Amino acid sequence: MWIDTHCHFDVSDFDADRVDVAKHAKSAGVEAIVVVAYLAQHWQHLLAVCASINEPKLLPVLGLHPCYIAEHQHEHLLQLEQYLQRQACIAIGEIGLDTYVADIKGQELYQKQQDFFSAQLQLAKQYQKPVILHVRKAHADVFKILRQQRFDGGGIVHAFSGGVEEAKMYAKLGFKLGIGGSVTYEQAKRLHNVIDAMPIESLVIETDAPDMIPQPYRNPNAHFTRNSPAYLPCIAQALANSKQLTLAQLAPILWQNSCQALHLSLQSNGFN
Ligand SMILES: [Zn+2]
């Protein structure tokens, strides 16, 4: 009944027990996991991981993450286009701008971030794919580039970190907001304000596993050293509480939102 719209299920944290984690996720009601790329050198492995597991359905997203901007090469954009020609991915991501990390916000690298973001938006337009955005402390520039490119393919702003005005602007531009583990932290006031202000139709959920461990799993005495797509229902529950909905009410709405944002026509096995 749930779709994890952002997970790094290909990374080595899951190498030892990926099949078991997938089973746990499936029995927790996770029917699809969007597996999002960050570096070109890992794309092939990501696709192999997605092809290796049937349940939950693993949906590959390829792209060049702004935080790894120093490592991206022009030829990676050409490779991305080849994958798009082969219909290898459902969306492009994660792409965007980040000025939160100090060593990538210097003039030269920030310009490179903008160039790679624009180039990937152009590919998304050309191949009619939605995008998964990573944006930290750079919303104004992202809005500027989305408008310059006249990008209207939509997608998801993952781990949304902006305020209410920015949330409304993304919604206007056709994006859903990705709500993750932070919704389980009472002190995340800004995010809770956004969730209160936005209609549920604008939201989707994600784990960002293995990062962003939800509060109930952060017990320092327990052996939870990574986040897992199997913890997605805990994020759903926190969102349901905030929106005063039951899980049974929330599930079909989020399913619909996710399918709309990612241009999917997936059938759920049921909303119980
Ligand atoms: Zn991510």
Side-chain angles (χ1 to χ4, degrees), residues 6-8 36-38 65 94 134 158 206 208-209 211:
H6 196 107
C7 180
H8 298 283
V36 186
Y38 53 101
H65 192 306
E94 50 192 293
H134 167 107
H158 127 77
E206 61 174 59
D208 204 14
D211 303 324

Side-chain angles (χ1 to χ4, degrees), residues 38-76:
Y38 53 101
L39 268 175
Q41 68 195 79
H42 298 153
W43 290 346
Q44 200 56 50
H45 173 66
L46 185 152
L47 292 173
V49 165
C50 288
S52 71
I53 289 172
N54 289 324
E55 287 189 329
K57 201 181 278 293
L58 302 186
L59 305 167
V61 172
L62 301 183
L64 301 165
H65 192 306
C67 288
Y68 299 85
I69 193 66
E71 294 172 62
H72 302 327
Q73 318 269 339
H74 179 70
E75 69 197 53
H76 297 154

Side-chain angles (χ1 to χ4, degrees), residues 106-125:
Q107 202 191 348
E108 195 181 324
L109 279 184
Y110 191 53
Q111 186 58 53
K112 190 177 171 190
Q113 284 193 47
Q114 294 175 68
D115 294 345
F116 272 73
F117 179 40
S118 297
Q120 292 180 94
L121 282 178
Q122 229 153 42
L123 284 173
K125 263 180 80 168

